[in-house]
Amino acid sequence: HDQLWWTGPELEQRSEIDEQVATQYEEQYSLVLQHGYESISSSSAANGDDDGDTGTVNMTFDNVQACSEARGLETDCYVGISNLIRSHRKKVLNTQHTIKDEKLSDSKTLSDFELKLLSQQSLKGSQKSTVMARQMGEFDQQALTAMDES
C-alpha cells in the first residue's frame, strides 16, 4: 500500500486482494487452532487430566506467529470454539436444571455441595479453552519479548 491515491478500479482490485489474503490467513489460522484444540483432548485424555491448567497444546509459536494477522479472530476463524462454548453452557444449564428438579427444600439459594457440583461441571466444560488461553498468553508474551529485543 505504498500508493497515496487510488483510482476506483485500483481500489476495488486492492480490496479483493486484501480480502483474499485475509481469507488465507483465517483459513491457515483455523487449521492451526483446530490442531491445537484437538491436541488438548488427546493429550489430556492420555494423561487423565481433569484440571484445565494441566493440559498441553501441540502448537508452535512459529505457526501462531505466521497467522498473526488473524490474531484476535479466533472465534471467527475456528467454529470449534463456538461449539465448545455452546457445549459448556449446555452442561452448566443441565446441571442447574437437575439440581432444581431434585431440590428437596424450597430454598432459592444453592447449598455448598450444589455450588461445587456446578463449579465442577463448568471447569470440565471450559478445560480446553482454559488450556488454549494459557498457551496463547505464553505466545503473546514471547512475541512481546521478541519485539522488545529488536
Side-chain angles (χ1 to χ4, degrees):
H1 293 82
D2 55 356
Q3 196 169 333
L4 184 58
W5 300 102
W6 299 81
T7 65
E10 288 174 330
L11 190 57
E12 274 184 40
Q13 182 183 13
R14 182 77 250 166
S15 293
E16 288 175 15
I17 292 169
D18 288 347
E19 193 171 311
Q20 291 170 355
V21 170
T23 299
Q24 289 172 348
Y25 274 120
E26 288 178 14
E27 288 172 355
Q28 181 182 2
Y29 199 31
S30 176
L31 294 174
V32 169
L33 291 170
Q34 179 181 1
H35 177 73
Y37 274 99
E38 288 174 355
S39 74
I40 294 170
S41 48
S42 60
S43 68
S44 296
N47 295 330
D49 293 336
D50 287 332
D51 182 4
D53 287 338
T54 59
T56 58
V57 183
N58 187 7
M59 286 175 33
T60 65
F61 175 70
D62 292 338
N63 286 344
V64 174
Q65 187 178 28
C67 306
S68 64
E69 299 291 330
R71 183 71 172 97
L73 301 175
E74 289 80 7
T75 55
D76 295 327
C77 293
Y78 180 52
V79 72
I81 295 172
S82 297
N83 294 339
L84 285 172
I85 292 168
R86 278 192 294 279
S87 173
H88 177 222
R89 183 174 37 235
K90 184 177 178 181
K91 285 179 184 178
V92 172
L93 289 174
N94 284 342
T95 303
Q96 285 178 337
H97 289 309
T98 301
I99 290 170
K100 181 181 173 187
D101 291 345
E102 295 180 6
K103 199 161 184 69
L104 299 176
S105 70
D106 291 333
S107 174
K108 301 256 186 222
T109 60
L110 298 176
S111 69
D112 288 343
F113 172 76
E114 293 165 334
L115 288 171
K116 186 174 181 177
L117 184 62
L118 274 173
S119 176
Q120 288 173 342
Q121 286 302 311
S122 184
L123 283 172
K124 283 182 186 178
S126 63
Q127 177 187 16
K128 287 183 182 183
S129 297
T130 302
V131 172
M132 184 61 81
R134 180 183 40 82
Q135 184 64 61
M136 294 304 275
E138 290 175 12
F139 286 155
D140 289 346
Q141 184 60 45
Q142 286 179 5
L144 288 173
T145 302
M147 287 176 16
D148 287 344
E149 292 173 356
S150 54

